[in-house]
Amino acid sequence: MNSSLSPVLSASRVSRSFAGKTILSDIDLDIRPAEIFGLLGPSGSGKTTLVKMLAGIDAPTTGQIRLLGTLLPKRSMLQQIGYMAQADALYNELTARENMEFFAALYGLRGKRRSVRIEETAGLVGLSEHLSKKAWQYSGGMKRRLSLAIALLHEPPVLLLDEPTVGIDPVLRRSIWAELRKLTGKGTTVVLTTHVMDEADKCDRLAMIRDGRILAEGSTAELLRQTDTDQIEDAFIKLGGAGQ
Amino acid sequence: MRIRAVILRTLRQFRRDKRTVALMFIAPLLVLTLMNLVFNGSAYVPRIGITEGAADTFGEALTTQNAKVIPYPSDEQAEQALEDNKIDAVVSLQGGKPAVKLEGSDPTASRAVMSVIQNAAASLLPAASPSAAANADGSASASGNGNGNGNVYNGNRNGNRNGNGNPLAQPEISYLHGSGDMSTIDHIGPVLIGFFIFFFVFLIAGVAFLRERTSGTLERLLASPIRRSELVLGYLGGFGLFTLAQALLITWYSIKVLGIVMTGSFGYVLLLTLLLSMTALTLGMLMSAYASNELQMIQFIPIIIVPQLFLSGLFNLDTLPDWLAALRFIMPLYFGAQAMTDVMIRGQGWSGIAADLWSLAGYCVLFTLLNIAALRKHRKI
């Protein structure tokens, strides 16, 4: 990774509190072009809140977030982001295709390009044959995959995926990771959250989050070396315990 | 473009949700039909018991009225029948004077009895007063009879004068609006059409928007570059098209099938129902922000919807305390119901309903802006 490149997405001294309760504090992040950046942490650590701010939906209480050099939140910058929420935000009474058509239209895709992109992304997540099923007929894993396909529809330069592989079977999970790799090969930057330690290995770089703070940031190898451990889980425990 | 996408999606969701469509299209027709049957029935015919003593003087006069007269041999039996709710009133003679005792638990029956008794008494009046006078003076001298005759004369003379323009004469009756055979359903019909559209759209739009919020799709939508206003306007468009069809059906059914009085323009009725449903939609969306589930949305009905019905003009507001009656001005349904009545019964055109229309449109715009502002809670920009 060439660290001299200016970051695609950056957070500087970001904190977020709701009704006086601090969820995140003092977050500094630099996400580089075309890398897969993982936010690793247990549930309740503040990952989702951070992702929402990085996606430009929520605004930090203090600090700044910049996407491609532009200060967020800014509505026009939302076009640059492919967002996949933790909850599958689908219209259950509509078919998968209708769900995709709707979100494609919101991102300005129309006509031939829209139908081509729907076919492409559905193929990518292995749903091509299930597009005329209604979303409520989908299993949990299929819903995750449909949400992912929707995030990819408008070919955004930055992908923000909140727990993208939950409930997806191992074979498909592997193919989704391969696909994300392919996307970074074409220049897409991917930020994802996970609480599965073994997925962290597949990220180029990681930030470990606990109780709203970043414990450490770096590549897997760097984190292991820094903590003198040979597993990410051990590294996490060591880093988390060091503060106590 | 994005507005169109939201409209299309809303309509597709309606197409899939057959029950909701049925609720919005069939339920109002069903309730209106029921109300039509209940309120359109012929006038209530009271059952009046009459005791033997009163039958001589009063019985005949009563039977000529619209009442079912049941004779009873004794006061006790009549009283018992009244107790058992077999009759609505008893007419008897108490100390030489006619007395009426009403069952009294049902105001409709009581009013019908009073109307019949008063009409019967009025029909007896010219003949009854001299005979009463004659009876009273029955034991008196010839001069007393002479007085009696004189009274009869006076009575006749009065009768003649009455025919010649005395203010007490039977007046000539004509109607500025409506007609003598307008029934209750004709009066409340326009208000009810407005109410049902308001009620169902409020509820369904509120629940639809609530689901958008609780299912996470709202957050997902707002992660796209859609403007908050585009989302609200898309909802207005989708529901607007849908409720236009609903308004068409309800109005057509009320006028053509139920035969509710309609003297004005069909176009104005449609415009009004559409404005009402847009107001209900925006209000429902706004209220859904304060509900965390469907049940809490239902809880708004007694707070937001029912008071509007009572102050909508369904009941006469002149008898209410001023502060209560003044509340109607913050109620969109009042303006809608006023204008609906003006068009359907009074046959008024643009000038007659413009003020109400603008008020309604004002509420619609206000709620729309509040909705756009309320979405800031979910996305600041």
Side-chain angles (χ1 to χ4, degrees), chain A residues 52 75 83 91 98 101, chain B residues 9 12 16 212 219 225:
Chain A
K52 278 188 189 171
R75 193 181 57 82
Y83 175 62
Y91 296 97
E98 286 167 342
E101 282 171 354
Chain B
R9 193 213 78 206
R12 275 176 165 169
R16 292 288 152 68
E212 187 98 69
E219 184 197 289

Side-chain angles (χ1 to χ4, degrees), chain B residues 134-177:
Chain B
N135 280 342
D137 294 15
S139 60
S141 61
S143 67
N145 275 334
N147 274 343
N149 284 338
N151 278 344
V152 170
Y153 228 99
N154 277 339
N156 279 344
R157 280 221 305 271
N158 277 337
N160 285 340
R161 272 212 307 263
N162 285 348
N164 292 333
N166 187 296
L168 288 171
Q170 187 74 284
E172 185 94 3
I173 302 205
S174 65
Y175 290 85
L176 176 58
H177 300 297

Side-chain angles (χ1 to χ4, degrees), chain B residues 179-292:
Chain B
S179 69
D181 45 58
M182 216 175 92
S183 62
T184 311
I185 190 71
D186 291 317
H187 164 59
I188 63 175
V191 178
L192 285 181
I193 293 172
F195 171 73
F196 284 126
I197 288 174
F198 195 90
F199 174 74
F200 286 111
V201 172
F202 173 86
L203 196 59
I204 286 169
V207 169
F209 206 69
L210 175 89
R211 283 214 189 124
E212 187 98 69
R213 190 158 54 84
T214 53
S215 72
T217 49
L218 180 63
E219 184 197 289
R220 181 62 190 83
L221 269 177
L222 292 174
S224 83
I226 193 171
R227 287 189 178 89
R228 284 177 280 129
S229 57
E230 286 173 325
L231 176 58
V232 176
L233 291 178
Y235 256 78
L236 276 174
F239 269 79
L241 285 172
F242 190 76
T243 52
L244 186 64
Q246 184 203 26
L248 256 173
L249 179 71
I250 295 180
T251 319
W252 170 84
Y253 184 83
S254 306
I255 295 165
K256 299 294 176 198
V257 180
L258 299 182
I260 288 175
V261 166
M262 167 69 172
T263 53
S265 135
F266 197 77
Y268 283 135
V269 172
L270 268 189
L271 177 66
L272 277 166
T273 46
L274 190 66
L275 259 179
L276 260 176
S277 65
M278 291 293 94
T279 313
L281 164 74
T282 45
L283 182 61
M285 279 171 75
L286 196 61
M287 295 321 294
S288 79
Y290 301 97
S292 49

